[in-house]
Amino acid sequence: MAQAKKALVKSKKQRTPRTVGGSVKKSTPHSGVRTYQNYIGGKWVDSNSGEIFENINPADTRDVVGRFPLSTRQDINDAVNAAQEAFNRWRRTPAPRRAEILFRLGEILIRQKSALAADMTREMGKVLKETGGDVQEAIDCTYYTAGEGRRLHGFTTPAEMPDKFAMCVRQPVGLCGLITPWNFPMAIPSWKLIPALVCGNTVVIKPAEDTPLSTYNLVKACEEAGIPPGVVNLVTGYGETVGAAMTTHPALRLISFTGSTETGRLVASACADRNAICSLEMGGKNVIMVMEDADVDLAVEGAVWGAFGTSGQRCTASSRIVVHKKVYKQFSKKLVERAQTLRVGNGADPRTDMGPVINSEAIEKIRGYIDIGRHEDGATLAHGGRRLTKGEYANGFFIEPTVFTDVTPDMRIAQEEIFGPVTAVIPANSLDEAIEIGNGVRYGLSASIYTQDVNRAFEAMNEMYTGIFYVNASTIGAEVHLPFGGTKATGNGHREAGTQVLDVFSEWKSIYVDYSGKLQRAQIDDVKI
Ligand code: ADP
């Protein structure tokens, strides 16, 4: 592995909030810290900048996971050129052949699963069970979507005229830019990469600056599986520079983005300026509704898992729990008792229930919301609320699982996405009121209801305007063969996963074959009146 040309080191995890600007320091040599490279046109290369940034373990910031290229617009240009060069060959490779390579990729990921999970816990913080699940999701996505290589169904349909055949087929979109977040460092890249490839596109992928190693591992596995040079290109770096360079690059026909709603808006407007296709997956303020006939213990388990799994850093996290007044006290008490039992710690320790949050920026944002909840909003802080800083927590980004009760629907902690281990318990008088509260936010990703009454379950299922809905389960836990995505400010109408994702990464081509041997006009041109 070649060393970066110039020794300038930045680390996003240690940056002060982005609005204040990044911190830059001269590098000091770290023995044993590996320097990684970009992957462009089938070659591992340094960034044109010669600069690198550090990937830091959020459970222990003294642990530098690796150094990654701090890339530039020029690196994006190089990667796009490589994707362009590879495109015609890849799109002409029959889809079943493309899929065979992807099945090999799945096998490699299975073989490496525990090492990949360990790398992910080290760079992202979530517990090993969850990072194992993240890798498993990439495996499932690979197998499921590679199966589409033998389908990629189009359709035939009757034509208006005799001796004329009409059909519709999928064609690749072209060159795709994939911009991914840090909370599912392998699952989300795979949700974009695998369908893009099976449809015959070539890609440039830019992982989040906090978790580049897992995407590096995925791309390395693509190389080992035999995906041809230039089909998959990896460029690491900051969103504001390389991410923005992707969204404005005229040759990237499609940008698929998952991240914050604020950044998604920037991505969308850059794409709109040049008429690029843009698929956005953004925030959530998901709700669990607990009815008075619910199995309260089951609902508490679901709430704990949904609110504190991944330290609440999931777009589907259960950040609001609307509880019928008849069971409100009982539920709140049990939820607090259960939250108290959670062991916070390094995700690599099998005793840990909840790992750190991702970086100092996240700590500040989450603590800011906890203050808002206590003072500005005036809710009851029933459990948690503190940053943990002593002993094993001294060098990491740890926050207690936090429960607010007596929350009203209009409070900021009940409206805004916190993206941390904080949940808001809101009382309600009826199912209708719970649904109104549930729908009363700008997002529309996931919702759930706990009830024993099938009529209420169906009513809620029908009335909640979200992309995902669960009955007697938490708001998290999507399966790869069902479409994933949300309504309102969560997305822009697209879905990932399922077969629906093929509609993002392919475009329809309608084909008419006239074998009549004469000029036949369609009704649009020739109707008798
Ligand atoms: P978060 O705030 O959780 O880090 P972001 O939405 O900022 O979420 O990041 C999601 C992804 O978007 C990351 O890969 C990040 O580098 C990238 N990104 C950030 N800013 C921009 C931008 N202006 N243009 C394109 N991509 C960006």
Side-chain angles (χ1 to χ4, degrees):
M1 178 76 46
Q3 289 297 310
K5 285 177 250 161
K6 212 168 88 191
L8 191 61
V9 181
K10 304 183 186 189
S11 162
K12 184 177 175 210
K13 286 197 182 82
Q14 290 174 325
R15 283 200 286 171
T16 44
R18 192 173 301 168
T19 44
V20 181
S23 67
V24 182
K25 60 181 187 196
K26 288 268 180 217
S27 100
T28 46
H30 289 248
S31 57
V33 177
R34 182 165 166 189
T35 301
Y36 293 83
Q37 293 176 299
N38 289 331
Y39 186 61
I40 297 177
K43 295 199 170 64
W44 294 97
V45 293
D46 293 330
S47 161
N48 285 287
S49 74
E51 294 180 7
I52 47 180
F53 65 98
E54 287 180 339
N55 180 4
I56 305 286
N57 181 342
D60 182 351
T61 57
R62 297 166 302 179
D63 176 24
V64 181
V65 178
R67 303 164 134 213
F68 288 82
L70 189 61
S71 306
T72 63
R73 182 172 290 271
Q74 184 54 48
D75 297 311
I76 293 296
N77 291 343
D78 294 347
V80 171
N81 289 342
Q84 184 74 69
E85 225 162 89
F87 177 57
N88 276 336
R89 233 177 105 212
W90 184 245
R91 84 176 163 83
R92 289 182 188 134
T93 304
R97 289 280 307 114
R98 296 196 293 256
E100 280 165 25
I101 305 178
L102 294 174
F103 281 121
R104 281 210 294 279
L105 170 65
E107 282 155 25
I108 293 166
L109 297 179
I110 288 175
R111 214 173 54 229
Q112 299 178 349
K113 185 174 168 186
S114 54
L116 298 175
D119 274 355
M120 194 187 298
T121 290
R122 192 172 163 212
E123 72 169 346
M124 189 275 166
K126 62 187 174 185
V127 297
L128 279 172
K129 259 199 185 132
E130 291 184 33
T131 51
D134 196 305
V135 179
Q136 185 60 47
E137 179 77 5
I139 294 164
D140 295 343
C141 175
T142 303
Y143 278 126
Y144 172 71
T145 317
E148 285 304 315
R150 288 196 177 270
R151 286 185 289 265
L152 283 181
H153 292 308
F155 60 91
T156 61
T157 186
E160 287 174 358
M161 282 145 281
D163 300 329
K164 191 175 172 189
F165 189 89
M167 62 185 159
C168 216
V169 299
R170 292 180 185 277
Q171 61 186 341
V173 163
L175 276 53
C176 301
L178 315 179
I179 301 176
T180 56
W182 46 263
N183 60 340
F184 283 88
M186 190 170 283
I188 292 179
S190 76
W191 280 6
K192 300 181 189 303
L193 181 65
I194 309 302
L197 296 183
V198 85
C199 288
N201 304 284
T202 56
V203 309
V204 177
I205 183 163
K206 190 211 88 65
E209 39 275 63
D210 279 314
T211 57
L213 178 57
S214 295
T215 305
Y216 166 88
N217 286 338
L218 180 63
V219 170
K220 193 84 188 148
C222 288
E223 182 190 29
E224 193 184 330
I227 292 175
V231 171
V232 177
N233 302 278
L234 166 72
V235 179
T236 62
Y238 289 170
E240 299 89 327
T241 47
V242 282
M246 287 167 74
T247 60
T248 52
H249 198 297
L252 288 176
R253 169 91 177 105
L254 177 151
I255 299 290
S256 174
F257 167 87
T258 301
S260 63
T261 301
E262 294 68 33
T263 305
R265 198 170 296 123
L266 296 176
V267 170
S269 68
C271 288
D273 271 353
R274 59 186 187 86
N275 293 322
I277 301 166
C278 175
S279 160
L280 303 173
E281 192 54 56
M282 302 174 287
K285 192 71 187 174
N286 314 288
V287 66
I288 294 180
M289 298 178 287
V290 183
M291 293 297 99
E292 73 273 34
D293 64 343
D295 175 339
V296 172
D297 291 331
L298 185 67
V300 167
E301 281 312 304
V304 167
W305 171 226
F308 305 126
T310 321
S311 307
Q313 303 169 111
R314 293 188 182 210
C315 47
T316 51
S318 312
S319 50
R320 296 180 297 151
I321 307 169
V322 177
V323 187
H324 195 284
K325 277 196 174 148
K326 285 191 180 147
V327 289
Y328 176 76
K329 272 211 175 112
Q330 184 195 3
F331 176 90
S332 302
K333 184 167 172 282
K334 286 188 173 190
L335 178 64
V336 167
E337 281 166 6
R338 191 61 186 80
Q340 282 165 348
T341 67
L342 294 177
R343 195 184 179 284
V344 179
N346 189 324
D349 181 341
R351 292 169 308 160
T352 298
D353 295 308
M354 194 182 94
V357 298
I358 190 68
N359 57 27
S360 57
E361 216 172 296
I363 285 275
E364 291 317 312
K365 180 179 172 195
I366 297 162
R367 290 174 83 195
Y369 273 108
I370 291 170
D371 275 351
I372 288 169
R374 283 157 92 165
H375 300 118
E376 204 175 298
D377 289 350
T380 305
L381 179 61
H383 178 67
R386 288 174 309 169
R387 178 176 183 178
L388 300 167
T389 53
K390 301 224 166 71
E392 63 176 305
Y393 304 120
N395 296 297
F397 304 119
F398 295 97
I399 275 206
E400 288 178 314
T402 299
V403 178
F404 279 104
T405 53
D406 306 329
V407 178
T408 57
D410 54 338
M411 289 180 179
R412 286 185 64 189
I413 56 167
Q415 286 289 325
E416 297 173 24
E417 187 180 44
I418 300 173
F419 223 64
V422 180
T423 195
V425 188
I426 307 170
N429 289 299
S430 63
L431 174 60
D432 284 351
E433 191 185 342
I435 289 171
E436 198 182 322
I437 295 169
N439 277 330
V441 290
R442 62 197 283 246
Y443 301 106
L445 183 52
S446 184
S448 91
I449 187 167
Y450 281 86
T451 180
Q452 304 292 327
D453 180 343
V454 66
N455 297 333
R456 287 171 154 194
F458 268 89
E459 188 180 342
M461 211 184 294
N462 202 36
E463 293 303 315
M464 286 304 299
Y465 185 45
T466 55
I468 304 169
F469 191 80
Y470 295 89
V471 177
N472 290 327
S474 189
T475 55
I476 64 176
E479 298 181 28
V480 78
H481 51 298
L482 279 78
F484 182 96
T487 62
K488 300 192 281 187
T490 294
N492 64 340
H494 299 278
R495 292 292 182 267
E496 303 202 276
T499 49
Q500 287 70 15
V501 70
L502 302 175
D503 288 333
V504 173
F505 288 104
S506 64
E507 288 186 283
W508 287 109
K509 182 189 278 175
S510 299
I511 301 173
Y512 304 91
V513 182
D514 190 325
Y515 56 97
S516 67
K518 56 187 184 211
L519 175 66
Q520 298 198 91
R521 293 199 178 96
Q523 288 197 170
I524 192 171
D525 297 315
D526 186 21
V527 70
K528 314 270 178 295
I529 36 175

